[in-house]
Structure formats: C-alpha cells, structure tokens
Amino acid sequence: MGQPQPQSPPLVTLADFYALDRGDDIRRELHDGQVVAMAPPKNAHGTIVINLGAALKAAVRGRRPCRVQTEAGIIPPSREHSYYQADLLVTCEPSRPGERDVQAPLFVCEVLSESTELFDRRCKIPEYRAIASVRELLLVDSERMFVELHRRIDDRRWLTEILQRPSDHLALETADLTLTLTELYEDVALGPANLELPL
C-alpha cells in the first residue's frame, strides 16, 4: 500500500476570515484561502507609518471624502479567498458603516521588513496593480533608506522611481504631497550604510 497523502488544510473563505476572533492583537491576512499571521513589526515600521500617515492626513484635510487609513483591508480583484492589509492608503470613496475593506484606493503603501518584503513584492504589488482605482504604489524599506514609487501611466504601464538619498523628494500626486526622505525617516534608526550616503 502507498503512503497516505497529506491532506491540504481547508480553504478559508472571506466570510470565515471575517468571523475569526481569537482575542489577540495579531495581524492576519488571507492568501488563497490560507490565514497568514504577520510577525509583530519593529519600531522603525511604526515610526515610518506615523511619519507618512501624518503628512498624508494633513495633505488631504479639507478634501472630503478623501481620507487616510492604516492597516487598510484590500480584497484583490483577481484572487479568490484573499484579503490583504496595506500599511497605509488614501481613498476618496465615502466611508461605509462597518466596512472592513476599501474598494477604491488611490494610493497604497507597504513598509517593507526582512520578513515581509518577498511576499509584498511577489504577491501584493501585482494584485494592487490590478485594482483600477490605484494610481500610486509606494514601497518603503524599514532597514535602510530606500523608497520605490510606482506610478500608473495607463492601463498597462507603470513608471518606477527609486529614491535613496536623504535630500531626495518623494512627490505623491494622489495626495498632492512632497516630502524629503529625511522627513519620511525622521526618528528611524537606520544601518551604518545609510550614514555614508552623500547629501
């Protein structure tokens, strides 16, 4: 007799995922029917989110219903049984009572760490690009000064801009916001390699 084949875990539906309540503060995402627990972020991650989030909030103030959201739920349009949480996004759709996901994000940001970078790049970014409303995608490295901005040109093409120097300016058209990397990384302890970059 052959060896019994290992059984694949049952697929978790979006409704099942929404019903999960384990009484903890662990951040979870759903990818192809499998629940993925995210490791607690390092301090640098939270500081970058606060720095950028505050700047975005000030930039969109007075442009209601536009708003900034952290840990924002996104349901990929081309992948079943999946639910991602973006670190930051900007949307101009009206808020809905009890909503768990944002249906029309304009700007999406992921702060990269060693444990999440591969998944963010290979899985999330292609799915975010498939959302028709998305105009800009931002990847911010939390270990070194490195920012990658993806801006939609048309239905098929994206322009990518790389920023690495403290004086480089990050210009976000979706929020009408410009800030330097020095401002973005304020109060973030980076590795020695970043200190050697010329201004």
Side-chain angles (χ1 to χ4, degrees):
M1 294 180 63
Q3 294 291 329
Q5 296 297 315
Q7 297 293 316
S8 298
L11 291 180
V12 176
T13 67
L14 203 54
D16 293 337
F17 180 73
Y18 283 160
L20 285 176
D21 184 4
R22 300 185 179 177
D24 55 37
D25 292 326
I26 296 175
R27 178 174 166 182
R28 295 179 175 86
E29 295 183 317
L30 183 66
H31 180 67
D32 286 344
Q34 302 301 318
V35 178
V36 180
M38 314 301 287
K42 295 180 181 177
N43 290 342
H45 181 284
T47 302
I48 292 168
V49 169
I50 288 290
N51 290 345
L52 181 56
L56 287 168
K57 177 71 173 177
V60 303
R61 182 175 286 116
R63 292 169 49 190
R64 295 187 184 278
C66 297
R67 66 188 192 278
V68 182
Q69 191 169 327
T70 63
E71 297 187 5
I74 296 179
I75 299 175
S78 56
R79 189 178 293 277
E80 286 190 293
H81 307 309
S82 293
Y83 175 97
Y84 300 146
Q85 277 191 300
D87 288 314
L88 278 168
L89 65 71
V90 172
T91 182
C92 289
E93 68 172 356
S95 180
R96 299 165 292 155
E99 68 181 354
R100 293 180 183 267
D101 64 279
V102 175
Q103 296 182 353
L106 299 174
F107 164 83
V108 180
C109 172
E110 292 288 356
V111 178
L112 305 177
S113 64
E114 187 176 349
S115 63
T116 65
E117 181 172 4
L118 191 61
F119 182 75
D120 287 346
R121 288 187 178 279
R122 291 189 179 180
C123 298
K124 287 187 173 183
I125 292 303
E127 296 301 329
Y128 293 160
R129 284 189 176 202
I131 301 172
S133 63
V134 173
R135 293 291 173 263
E136 291 176 316
L137 295 170
L138 186 67
L139 298 177
V140 181
D141 197 306
S142 63
E143 307 289 335
R144 61 193 177 109
M145 191 170 284
F146 184 91
V147 174
E148 195 173 309
L149 176 63
H150 301 252
R151 182 174 289 120
R152 187 189 296 274
I153 299 175
D154 54 35
D155 289 342
R156 295 185 307 158
R157 296 179 300 160
W158 291 73
L159 178 68
T160 301
E161 182 180 3
I162 303 296
L163 306 172
Q164 294 180 277
R165 301 175 187 277
S167 59
D168 283 349
H169 285 78
L170 170 63
L172 301 176
E173 294 178 356
T174 46
D176 193 19
L177 169 67
T178 300
L179 71 163
T180 65
L181 293 203
T182 296
E183 294 170 307
L184 179 63
Y185 283 94
E186 185 179 0
D187 298 324
V188 176
L190 298 171
N194 294 282
L195 302 179
E196 298 170 6
L197 285 173
L199 296 175

